[in-house]
Amino acid sequence: MAHENLQTLYVNELRDLYSAEQQLVKALPKMAKNAESEDLVDAFTNHCGETKNQVSRLEQIFESLGVSAKGKKCVGMEGIVQEGAETIDEYQGSVLDAAMISAAQRVEHYEIAAYGAVCAYAELMGRGEDLGLLKETLQEEKRADEKLTELSKIVNEDALAGEKENALRGVGSPTSRSKKTRSAA
Ligand code: FE
Ligand code: ZN
Ligand code: FE
C-alpha cells in the first residue's frame, strides 16, 4: 500500500536507521580488529560506543511515538558494510587501513544524509525532543567523518610509502603479494 503522510515516512526512515545502526554495532569491532593504525583502532572503537548510544536514542524516539522499532532492514547499509568487509580480504597493512577509512566514510555520509532527512521531518512535525536527539547523532556522524578525513592523511601517505618500498624491493603488484591470514569472524 502506498502511503501519503509524512509521519509514516518519518517512522519508516527511523526504522531504516535503526537497522543501519545495529548493523554498524556489529561491523565496527571487526574493522577495529583489522586496523593497523592505533589511532584508527581507537576511532572505530570510539565510534562503536557512540553508535550504541545512537541505537538507544532511536529507541527513545520509537517509545515516545508509541511504535515498534523493528520492521525495516536497511539494504543500503548492508551493501556498504559488505563492501567494507570485502576490503579486509583484498588489502593489508596501511593500504587496508586506507580502504577501511574510505568504506567507513561512505557509511558516515550515508548516515549524515539519512539523519538530515529525519531531522527535517521532525522539525516540520514539531517533534522537538526527537529533533534534539537526532541532531546529537547527526553531530556525532559529522565528527566521525571529520576524524576519518584527518586520519586518512597519515594513513594514505603510509600506504603510498609502503608501495614505494615494495617497488624498490622488486615486489610486484598487490595481487602477487602473499596474503596475511585473517579470521573472517
Ligand atoms: Fe550511526
Ligand atoms: Zn537504508
Ligand atoms: Fe556513524
Side-chain angles (χ1 to χ4, degrees):
M1 186 185 122
H3 297 280
E4 57 174 26
N5 71 68
L6 192 64
Q7 167 96 9
T8 306
L9 178 64
Y10 179 56
V11 170
N12 284 335
E13 291 201 5
L14 291 172
R15 285 176 175 151
D16 186 83
L17 274 165
Y18 188 64
S19 159
E21 299 291 14
Q22 284 179 313
Q23 292 180 50
L24 294 168
V25 167
K26 285 190 196 159
L28 282 162
K30 289 180 197 167
M31 294 172 82
K33 203 179 108 192
N34 284 283
E36 187 177 78
S37 150
E38 279 308 315
D39 289 340
L40 188 57
V41 173
D42 290 347
F44 286 149
T45 305
N46 175 50
H47 196 53
C48 188
E50 288 178 332
T51 302
K52 288 174 187 164
N53 292 332
Q54 296 171 357
V55 168
S56 310
R57 285 186 199 118
L58 289 168
E59 283 167 349
Q60 276 185 65
I61 294 173
F62 291 122
E63 204 174 301
S64 83
L65 284 164
V67 298
S68 75
K70 297 274 162 66
K72 199 168 185 305
K73 179 170 199 175
C74 182
V75 294
M77 190 58 80
E78 190 179 35
I80 297 172
V81 165
Q82 171 66 30
E83 287 193 0
E86 283 168 11
T87 66
I88 295 170
D89 299 320
E90 280 176 62
Y91 306 102
Q92 57 180 306
S94 47
V95 181
L96 174 58
D97 280 4
M100 287 197 292
I101 289 175
S102 172
Q105 288 197 280
R106 285 157 213 253
V107 167
E108 298 313 322
H109 282 244
Y110 186 95
E111 292 182 302
I112 289 165
Y115 279 104
V118 288
C119 278
Y121 307 154
E123 182 159 31
L124 205 58
M125 294 188 300
R127 303 270 321 165
E129 272 183 36
D130 298 7
L131 181 60
L133 292 165
L134 295 169
K135 271 187 172 171
E136 252 183 87
T137 295
L138 180 57
Q139 279 315 309
E140 284 174 354
E141 311 298 25
K142 286 182 179 170
R143 278 197 299 268
D145 178 54
E146 283 162 13
K147 178 75 192 171
L148 289 166
T149 297
E150 194 188 306
L151 291 178
S152 76
K153 288 173 187 159
I154 307 147
V155 165
N156 292 350
E157 274 185 26
D158 285 352
L160 182 64
E163 193 176 294
K164 281 178 183 158
E165 229 170 80
N166 285 329
L168 286 171
R169 288 205 309 260
V171 179
S173 67
T175 47
S176 72
R177 280 184 226 161
S178 69
K179 247 334 266 178
K180 246 191 281 179
T181 40
R182 291 173 187 281
S183 79

